[in-house]
């Protein structure tokens, strides 16, 4: 388990490129026939990926020992979105077939999780976020057709994009976790600009659907103390509540966003004018 401590905004201003990457960038999400796990002290979110290829991958009680509980989801909820080929997720004996760009929410209390790919030549890639939970809500599969969808932005400002909200209150109840997938139109490069912060929620961006030579310049930091991280395919960035989170790519891309915090109100944002950024 990779553990990331909280970083104060005053401390972050003094970090060089290597230190910023070490604290905020998750470079490796998927490993064949295994799962990865990054634990952030920022709202205690867990970020990771599961990639079964030739063998099933099981998350059992061994995860609980690292978290100080009996098993992984004893006091947690989990959301995942599959960016690979079709796969099966078995939750306490119940199997869910999760296709490409489909999501699954797993409520607090699920103990035995097993992941399989239906075709090893096109393995499933389950990207997941997990948050502490105080109540149990039903497990639910969400397809693209069931997601709450909104198209925003403009080609003239290079940020025309479609937001697919998979795990949000309009679709299903959760304790605090929200997740969705945003696709940029061909020719659009910015994911969010003008940008914003939200003091009551942290956020993680996971970038994918990028060629080897494509990169995203992910903007972070306080609005008047901006920094950037260079992010490549299938990498994620941890964004504290004090930080802006916006990015521009060398080509179009897709990203998954996940939020954890005090509320699930999407218009609870502190917008920042481009003229005010430094």
């Amino acid at each position: 388990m990779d553990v990331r401590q909280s970083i104060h905004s005053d401390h972050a201003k003094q970090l060089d490129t290597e230190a910023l990457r070490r604290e905020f960038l998750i470079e490796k999400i998927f490993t064949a026939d295994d799962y990865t796990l990054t634990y952030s002290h920022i709202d205690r979110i867990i970020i990771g990926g599961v990639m079964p290829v030739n063998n099933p991958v099981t998350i059992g009680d061994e995860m609980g020992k690292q978290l100080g509980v009996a098993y992984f989801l004893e006091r947690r909820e989990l959301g995942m979105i599959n960016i690979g080929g079709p796969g099966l997720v078995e939750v306490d004996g119940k199997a869910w077939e999760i296709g490409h760009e489909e999501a699954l929410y797993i409520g607090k209390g699920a103990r035995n999780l097993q992941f399989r790919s239906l075709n090893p030549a096109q393995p499933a890639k389950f990207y997941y976020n997990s948050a502490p939970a105080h109540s149990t809500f039903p497990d639910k599969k969400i397809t693209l057709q069931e997601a709450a969808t909104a198209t925003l932005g403009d080609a003239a400002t290079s940020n025309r994009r479609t937001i697919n909200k998979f795990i949000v209150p309009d679709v299903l109840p959760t304790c605090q976790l929200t997740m969705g997938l945003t696709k940029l139109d061909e020719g659009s490069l910015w994911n969010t600009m003008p940008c914003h912060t939200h003091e009551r929620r942290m956020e993680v961006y996971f970038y994918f659907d990028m060629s080897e030579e494509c990169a995203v310049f992910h903007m972070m930091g306080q609005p008047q103390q901006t920094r950037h991280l260079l992010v490549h395919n299938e990498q994620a960035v941890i964004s504290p509540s004090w930080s802006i989170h916006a990015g521009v790519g060398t080509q179009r891309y897709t990203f998954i966003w996940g939020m954890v915090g005090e509320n699930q109100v999407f218009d609870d944002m502190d917008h920042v004018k481009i003229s005010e950024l430094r």
Side-chain angles (χ1 to χ4, degrees):
M1 184 168 65
D2 180 13
V3 177
R4 307 289 181 93
Q5 296 185 4
S6 299
I7 299 295
H8 194 282
S9 55
D10 288 345
H11 181 195
K13 290 187 292 186
Q14 304 173 46
L15 299 180
D16 63 11
T17 298
E18 182 180 351
L20 282 172
R21 293 176 68 86
R22 182 178 64 246
E23 298 294 344
F24 298 105
L25 180 66
I26 305 173
E27 295 189 77
K28 187 72 171 178
I29 294 291
F30 294 111
T31 299
D33 291 328
D34 205 352
Y35 64 86
T36 64
L37 183 152
T38 297
Y39 183 104
S40 172
H41 282 277
I42 303 173
D43 285 304
R44 302 196 179 277
I45 191 172
I46 291 177
I47 308 108
V50 186
M51 184 180 171
V53 182
N54 297 306
N55 301 300
V57 176
T58 300
I59 300 179
D61 293 354
E62 79 285 348
M63 179 82 82
K65 296 176 182 178
Q66 300 181 73
L67 300 174
V69 290
Y71 54 95
F72 181 25
L73 298 184
E74 181 181 7
R75 300 179 65 85
R76 284 183 164 272
E77 60 185 353
L78 183 145
M80 66 178 66
I81 298 174
N82 181 14
I83 67 164
L88 287 176
V89 181
E90 190 173 297
V91 182
D92 289 337
K94 181 176 180 178
W96 303 83
E97 183 172 337
I98 308 299
H100 181 68
E101 294 185 353
E102 294 183 339
L104 178 66
Y105 171 79
I106 303 175
K108 181 179 81 74
R111 183 155 193 164
N112 298 304
L113 309 178
Q114 188 175 84
F115 305 82
R116 299 175 184 269
S117 291
L118 296 184
N119 181 2
Q122 295 180 312
K125 292 182 175 181
F126 301 105
Y127 171 74
Y128 72 87
N129 290 171
S130 174
H134 58 271
S135 297
T136 299
F137 292 105
D139 303 342
K140 182 176 175 62
K141 172 183 172 179
I142 310 101
T143 66
L144 268 175
Q145 292 72 31
E146 295 170 320
T149 302
T151 299
L152 303 175
D154 195 295
T157 51
S158 191
N159 70 344
R160 183 73 171 173
R161 62 202 189 276
T162 299
I163 304 171
N164 302 284
K165 302 175 185 178
F166 283 102
I167 300 175
V168 297
D170 289 345
V171 177
L172 78 167
T174 69
C175 287
Q176 60 170 323
L177 179 66
T178 58
M179 290 181 73
L181 182 150
T182 298
K183 283 179 168 290
L184 273 67
D185 284 6
E186 193 66 47
S188 285
L189 304 174
W190 284 96
N191 54 51
T192 303
M193 189 58 70
C195 60
H196 61 267
T197 61
H198 27 73
E199 195 62 40
R200 290 144 293 277
R201 297 189 307 280
M202 64 85 66
E203 190 161 6
V204 177
Y205 274 14
F206 169 67
Y207 292 99
F208 68 104
D209 195 19
M210 298 158 58
S211 68
E212 185 176 347
E213 288 303 315
C214 179
V216 172
F217 289 79
H218 178 91
M219 309 303 172
M220 62 166 295
Q222 292 175 293
Q224 282 74 50
Q225 287 284 343
T226 60
R227 305 290 189 268
H228 78 267
L229 291 168
L230 199 68
V231 184
H232 292 280
N233 190 42
E234 297 184 0
Q235 296 182 342
V237 180
I238 300 169
S239 179
S241 59
W242 48 261
S243 175
I244 64 168
H245 35 284
V248 59
T250 57
Q251 299 173 9
R252 66 158 298 282
Y253 53 90
T254 306
F255 70 102
I256 293 172
W257 44 267
M259 291 184 285
V260 173
E262 295 288 347
N263 64 33
Q264 298 176 321
V265 182
F266 275 82
D267 59 1
D268 182 19
M269 300 175 182
D270 300 310
H271 294 277
V272 183
K273 295 180 180 180
I274 295 176
S275 59
E276 297 174 347
L277 291 171
R278 297 291 183 269

